[in-house]
Every structure is written in structure tokens, then in C-alpha cells.
Amino acid sequence: EDDELTAGLDDNRDADDNSDGEVSVVELGRFASALTKRISQQIGHRQRPMLIEFGIDRTLYRLSPDVAGQRR
């Protein structure tokens, strides 16, 4: 079973905010933050992750072609 918070690292198109076929550091942070908020609310322990962006955003990975063309 995959850990939901690491799902953004697993060729996940939902982590690609701007639909450019790449997942960046900032996009992954936003994906993990939203997921943390949702999960923590479901279990009754609200959390508000703080993201601090330093410097230039970098691409972490490119989505594979069969994933990049699909959006939920």
C-alpha cells in the first residue's frame, strides 16, 4: 500500500498544478499541503502546513506520456 503523502512523487498528474507535464518542488509542496489538510481534517486533527519557498522553483520529474495527457 502506498503512503498517500508520497503519492505526489509517483508520476502523479494531480501534483502537476499547471498541467505542463512536470512536477516541481513548489507543486509537490502544494500537493502535500492540500493532502495533509484533507487527511488531518478527516481524522479530526486539523493541521495547516506552512510552506516556505526559497529561491527558484525546480522540476522534480516529468510525467510519463500516458499520465501527462490525463487529468482527473
Side-chain angles (χ1 to χ4, degrees):
E1 179 175 295
D2 290 329
D3 179 26
E4 286 193 62
L5 290 178
T6 60
L9 291 171
D10 190 22
D11 211 22
N12 190 328
R13 68 183 176 270
D14 293 330
D16 181 17
D17 271 351
N18 61 4
S19 302
D20 67 354
E22 299 178 343
V23 175
S24 72
V25 173
V26 171
E27 287 175 316
L28 183 62
R30 290 177 184 157
F31 174 82
S33 177
L35 196 54
T36 298
K37 287 177 188 177
R38 183 180 57 105
I39 292 170
S40 66
Q41 186 173 4
Q42 288 173 351
I43 64 173
H45 184 71
R46 282 197 161 154
Q47 294 184 26
R48 187 180 307 170
M50 181 174 38
L51 299 176
I52 301 173
E53 298 174 18
F54 294 102
I56 300 171
D57 193 17
R58 302 276 186 218
T59 298
L60 291 173
Y61 66 89
R62 288 180 179 81
L63 296 171
S64 57
D66 57 321
V67 174
Q70 303 172 13
R71 295 296 289 178
R72 286 185 191 173

